[in-house]
Amino acid sequence: MSDETRLIHAGKLPGALVRTVGPPIQKGSTVLLPNAAALYDDDNFITYGRAGLSAQASLQDALAVLEGAVGVTLYPSGIAAISGMLMALLKAGDEILVVDTVYKPVRRFCDSVLKRFGVKVSYYDAALPPEDLVAGASDAVRMIFMETPGSLTFEMQDMGRIAELARARGILTAADNTWGAGLTYKPLAHGVDVSVQALTKYVGGHSDVFMGSAAARDPALVRRLADGINHMGWAVSGEDAYAMLRGLRTLPVRMARHQESALRVAAWLREQPEVAALYHPALPGCPGHDIWTRDFKGACGLFAFSLKPAPQAAVDAFLDALHIFGLGFSWGGFESLAIWCDPQFKVRGFQRDYGGPVIRLHIGLEAPDDLIADLRGGLDAYADRAV
Ligand SMILES: Cc1ncc(COP(=O)(O)O)c(C=O)c1O
C-alpha cells in the first residue's frame, strides 16, 4: 500500500482502555460500526457522533441521577435547552402560559419564534395562586413554564401544586431550575414534567462553558425531547461534557459555601441604612421564604436587594465603587458579580414596586468579610451621591 493509504489507517485504535476517574473524551463525527447489520440498527448502536459519545453519555447519566430522571437531553446552552424543549413539545395551535418574571431571553424566544410558529404565548403573574392559574387556563394550553425563584426578583411559586393541578387537566409543566441546580430543588420529585437548567451556571461552576439540560421521568417525554435534539441537529462537544461532569463532582460543596456566604451577606445588607428590601427566598422574612423552607433543601449565591430611592448617578456610583464584585450578567461561577436590574423590568406585564433600584448579587467563593467590605465601600459611594 502507498503512504497515502497507510497514513490514513496507521495508528492503532485503542483496545480496552485503562480506567481513569473521569470518562474518556472521545472525538469523532464518524462512528465505525462493527458489521453491515449495525449500519441501520439505530436502536442498538450509536451510528453517528452527533448523538454524543462517552463523555456526553456519562454526563447524561450523572444528571439523570441528580435530577431523579429517566432521561436527560443536552443542549449547547441554557437558553437552547429551553427553546429546544419548547420546540420539541409544542405545536401550532397550542397555547403556553409563561411566568411573567421569566429570564428575559426566554420571553424573547416565545414572543418571536414560538408566536411565528403559531403558538399563543400568555404571561401570568408569579403571585397568582395555582388554583386560579390552572382554572383560568384555556383548553388550548398545553404547557405552563415556570421559573422559581423568578429571574432578578426571586418570586417563589408553588410548583408542586401547579404541576398537580395542571396534570389533572392534561397540561404539561416545565421549570427553569437553574437556581436550584437540580440539587437544592428537584422539580421532577414535585411532579413537574420537565426540569430544565442552564448547566452554564452552577453545574459548570467556573464561568467558562455553555450547556443546558432537560430532564424528564416519563419515557414518552424523554423520547420526544431526544427526537427534538435529533431534528434540530444539536450536539455538545466531549470536552464541554467532560468539563460539566467535573463541575458536577463538586456541586454540593460549592453550593453549600455559596449559600452560607450569600445568607451572611444578605443578612448584613438588611441592616444597612441605604438598603430598602432584600429579595432572597432563603432569608427569613423575605417573600417566598415559606415555600423555600417547605420545598428546597438549600439555596445558592444569587439574590437581590433594593436601595432606597436615589438618582441614577448614585446607583452607578455604587456599582463603580465595587472592586471585588465584577459587573457581569452571569452567575453560578466562583466569582462574585453585581448588576443593576431595573431596565430589564420594562418588558414585564405585571409591574411591582421593589422599594427602589434593584441590585442583583452573585456571591462567589471569596471570603464573605471581604465581600461585605467591598459592598460597604459601594454603599458609601451611593450615600455620597444620594443627596
Ligand atoms: C435563569 C436562567 N436560565 C437560563 C439561562 C441561560 O443560560 P445560558 O447562558 O447557558 O444560555 C440563564 C442565563 O443567565 C438564566 O439566568
Side-chain angles (χ1 to χ4, degrees):
M1 280 191 280
S2 66
D3 273 355
E4 285 98 316
T5 307
R6 287 195 300 149
L7 286 179
I8 298 281
H9 294 280
K12 282 200 180 113
L13 282 175
L17 296 173
V18 294
R19 285 184 65 217
T20 48
V21 174
I25 300 176
Q26 285 183 291
K27 293 172 80 80
S29 51
T30 304
V31 169
L32 294 175
L33 291 153
N35 53 43
L39 280 174
Y40 293 100
D41 187 356
D42 292 350
D43 289 338
N44 289 317
F45 295 96
I46 287 182
T47 54
Y48 193 47
R50 201 184 331 99
L53 302 170
S54 48
Q56 293 92 326
S58 296
L59 177 62
Q60 284 171 298
D61 286 352
L63 287 171
V65 170
L66 176 72
E67 299 266 9
V70 164
V72 174
T73 37
L74 301 176
Y75 305 79
S77 70
I79 190 72
I82 296 166
S83 59
M85 179 276 295
L86 295 175
M87 291 297 269
L89 302 183
L90 296 173
K91 61 179 188 329
D94 288 348
E95 182 178 351
I96 180 172
L97 303 182
V98 180
V99 67
D100 193 44
T101 51
V102 75
Y103 174 56
K104 204 174 143 203
V106 175
R107 181 186 287 266
R108 194 173 56 207
F109 173 79
C110 290
D111 290 348
S112 51
V113 183
L114 278 190
K115 282 188 183 168
R116 187 150 47 82
F117 283 88
V119 175
K120 185 175 176 200
V121 182
S122 307
Y123 294 95
Y124 68 91
D125 188 347
L128 197 62
E131 290 72 17
D132 296 353
L133 171 65
V134 177
S138 82
D139 288 340
V141 171
R142 294 262 48 81
M143 183 186 285
I144 298 174
F145 185 83
M146 306 174 278
E147 188 182 319
T148 286
S151 264
L152 306 173
T153 41
F154 299 88
E155 291 79 0
M156 296 293 277
Q157 289 183 264
D158 189 341
M159 294 214 264
R161 180 76 179 132
I162 293 173
E164 182 190 356
L165 295 167
R167 185 169 299 243
R169 282 200 56 192
I171 298 171
L172 289 173
T173 48
D176 180 338
N177 187 39
T178 304
W179 197 85
L183 185 74
T184 61
Y185 183 69
K186 308 226 179 242
L188 303 184
H190 288 264
V192 176
D193 293 300
V194 188
S195 168
V196 186
Q197 52 164 323
L199 302 172
T200 312
K201 309 298 181 196
Y202 283 113
V203 171
H206 294 74
S207 308
D208 52 5
V209 194
F210 281 100
M211 204 178 294
S213 62
R217 274 189 178 167
D218 173 6
L221 272 183
V222 172
R223 179 80 219 187
R224 285 168 69 191
L225 291 167
D227 285 348
I229 295 269
N230 210 9
H231 296 152
M232 302 298 262
W234 279 323
V236 301
S237 78
E239 284 92 344
D240 287 353
Y242 190 97
M244 283 302 166
L245 203 51
R246 181 160 58 186
L248 204 56
R249 307 300 182 206
T250 58
L251 180 66
V253 278
R254 286 186 287 107
M255 286 288 270
R257 174 66 188 259
H258 284 295
Q259 166 178 346
E260 188 189 329
S261 298
L263 279 171
R264 177 133 171 249
V265 172
W268 174 84
L269 274 170
R270 182 140 74 181
E271 303 304 317
Q272 305 312 301
E274 298 83 2
V275 171
L278 264 295
Y279 298 99
H280 187 331
L283 190 70
C286 279
H289 185 64
D290 49 344
I291 295 180
W292 179 83
T293 308
R294 189 192 64 193
D295 292 346
F296 282 63
K297 279 197 302 184
C300 62
L302 195 74
F303 70 93
F305 67 98
S306 58
L307 290 157
K308 289 185 180 154
Q312 182 58 39
V315 179
D316 292 348
F318 167 77
L319 293 172
D320 288 338
L322 299 175
H323 297 300
I324 300 177
F325 284 84
L327 305 187
F329 282 98
S330 198
W331 47 288
F334 49 77
E335 76 287 11
S336 290
L337 296 168
I339 55 167
W340 171 51
C341 304
D342 298 44
Q344 296 194 52
F345 301 155
K346 287 188 194 121
V347 293
R348 294 185 176 179
F350 302 91
Q351 296 293 330
R352 292 245 144 64
D353 178 4
Y354 294 103
V358 176
I359 304 290
R360 187 186 74 181
L361 296 181
H362 178 250
I363 302 302
L365 301 177
E366 302 94 335
D369 284 343
D370 294 335
L371 297 175
I372 286 173
D374 202 31
L375 289 168
R376 189 56 255 165
L379 292 175
D380 288 345
Y382 184 80
D384 284 349
R385 294 296 193 98
V387 281

